Amino acid sequence: MKVFRVITLIGALVLMPALAFGAKININKAGVQTLQELDGVGPSKAQAIVTYRERNGRFQALTDLTKVRGIGEQTLDANRDQIAVQ
């Protein structure tokens, strides 16, 4: 578990400068920590996004995010300018 935490921390530290300059969060690559930076997304919703992606493959469009349990139009609209699907 310590290795996972270290990797997660390193990933978050690498992405933080990019987020500070307005870079979008790629929902096909972001981990739980990074996804929690989205408005209205806490640990359980972030994990649900990652789990959905692992089970169903990459998100093809931003609107696919609403297929994740707990993510609705309101959450999508609040984050539309902050997320990317690449």
Side-chain angles (χ1 to χ4, degrees), residues 22 53 56 66:
R53 184 177 69 208
N56 299 288
T66 60

Side-chain angles (χ1 to χ4, degrees), residues 3-47:
V3 173
F4 177 74
R5 287 183 186 153
V6 170
I7 291 170
T8 302
L9 178 62
I10 290 170
L13 292 174
V14 168
L15 288 175
M16 283 175 69
L19 294 174
F21 292 105
K24 293 186 176 189
I25 295 173
N26 183 342
I27 59 173
N28 283 318
K29 295 182 180 178
V32 173
Q33 283 294 124
T34 303
L35 290 167
Q36 289 181 63
E37 296 191 23
L38 296 171
D39 293 334
V41 177
S44 61
K45 285 185 183 180
Q47 183 59 57

Side-chain angles (χ1 to χ4, degrees), residues 56-69:
N56 299 288
R58 300 172 57 82
F59 294 96
Q60 300 299 310
L62 293 179
T63 55
D64 289 345
L65 195 56
T66 60
K67 295 177 182 177
V68 178
R69 185 177 182 171

